[in-house]
Amino acid sequence: DVKVTQSSRYLVKRTGEKVFLECVQDMDHENMFWYRQDPGLGLRLIYFSYDVKMKEKGDIPEGYSVSREKKERFSLILESASTNQTSMYLCASSFSGDTEAFFGQGTRLTVV
Amino acid sequence: TQLLEQSPQFLSIQEGENLTVYCNSSSVFSSLQWYRQEPGEGPVLLVTVVTGGEVKKLKRLTFQFGDARKDSSLHITAAQPGDTGLYLCAGGTGNQFYFGTGTSLTVIP
């Protein structure tokens, strides 16, 4: 079975902190994605990566950056956390862009 | 850009009833997936459909991909409380997935 693991289930951070969300997949997938999910807004793509060291902006990249130094690991970085970044963050991976995506369990981030 | 529209947005039914959820788009997708998400968890893949007109069954769930590969439906027969959750459709094209806003289903015992 494909496994996508996010480093934390719950995080509470202070405004202005630098926050790292880690995601690891074990299926040698090329593509990895970071989404945030908010009530009424659905899943919104923040960044995705189709290869090591490659990254593409999604729909809402402002305030975020990503890092993919190894194929299996995709990190999301909040440079200076703000309260409007309180959300559920979901990492996903897929073999290609038009095969199915597999999700991690999610990280519920609260910025106070 | 919201490419996938799901309806209804909310659905509350009694145990044993049947229901259908729709996922519509003006765009053609090379594949379409359905996911179920429970509160506080990540979405879990239910099925992938790739061929226009394709029908797949997963126990009491029946998935259909439209002939033109722009829309899909999910039909649940004799719903059970364990079916409660957020149902998401997603279309794949190029290097990205596009998600619908979801249908929140509640099955009342």
Side-chain angles (χ1 to χ4, degrees):
Chain A
D1 283 351
V2 175
K3 188 147 187 175
V4 180
T5 304
Q6 294 182 228
S7 53
S8 304
R9 291 294 301 270
Y10 302 95
L11 276 178
V12 180
K13 296 291 182 181
R14 295 194 178 277
T15 301
E17 278 193 77
K18 191 169 186 175
V19 181
F20 294 86
L21 302 183
E22 306 285 344
C23 176
V24 177
Q25 51 96 3
D26 66 357
M27 280 301 291
D28 202 35
H29 282 171
E30 302 291 333
N31 292 8
M32 296 189 75
F33 308 83
W34 275 107
Y35 296 88
R36 63 177 284 177
Q37 185 177 32
D38 301 286
L41 298 176
L43 270 74
R44 293 181 291 169
L45 181 64
I46 304 171
Y47 269 96
F48 69 100
S49 168
Y50 54 87
D51 201 353
V52 176
K53 296 190 186 294
M54 303 300 291
K55 59 184 179 184
E56 292 284 343
K57 293 180 180 179
D59 298 321
I60 52 163
E62 296 78 19
Y64 304 94
S65 63
V66 290
S67 172
R68 193 164 181 202
E69 296 296 320
K70 294 184 178 181
K71 191 175 186 179
E72 67 271 18
R73 187 179 297 270
F74 193 34
S75 303
L76 179 69
I77 303 154
L78 285 66
E79 298 291 345
S80 177
S82 64
T83 55
N84 63 12
Q85 292 179 310
T86 291
S87 186
M88 175 70 143
Y89 289 87
L90 292 164
C91 173
S93 74
S94 71
F95 180 71
S96 69
D98 50 11
T99 58
E100 53 269 310
F102 295 88
F103 283 85
Q105 74 277 32
T107 297
R108 172 70 66 184
L109 172 67
T110 302
V111 183
V112 297
Chain B
T1 303
Q2 184 61 50
L3 297 180
L4 287 163
E5 297 287 341
Q6 283 187 245
S7 61
Q9 190 175 357
F10 298 97
L11 191 55
S12 181
I13 61 170
Q14 294 291 133
E15 182 177 359
E17 291 183 0
N18 301 331
L19 67 116
T20 302
V21 175
Y22 299 93
C23 175
N24 295 299
S25 175
S26 58
S27 301
V28 175
F29 293 101
S30 52
S31 69
L32 196 140
Q33 293 86 42
W34 283 94
Y35 298 82
R36 180 170 65 216
Q37 184 180 20
E38 298 186 11
E41 301 290 333
V44 175
L45 179 69
L46 296 174
V47 77
T48 297
V49 286
V50 295
T51 305
E54 183 176 3
V55 177
K56 280 192 174 179
K57 291 194 174 185
L58 185 66
K59 296 183 181 179
R60 294 176 294 99
L61 279 60
T62 301
F63 305 86
Q64 184 160 8
F65 201 12
D67 290 342
R69 290 187 291 135
K70 293 182 179 181
D71 53 82
S72 180
S73 63
L74 158 60
H75 182 79
I76 301 179
T77 303
Q80 298 178 1
D83 296 327
T84 293
L86 179 68
Y87 289 81
L88 294 162
C89 66
T93 183
N95 268 325
Q96 287 198 46
F97 296 95
Y98 298 91
F99 282 86
T101 50
T103 294
S104 180
L105 171 65
T106 302
V107 183
I108 303 164

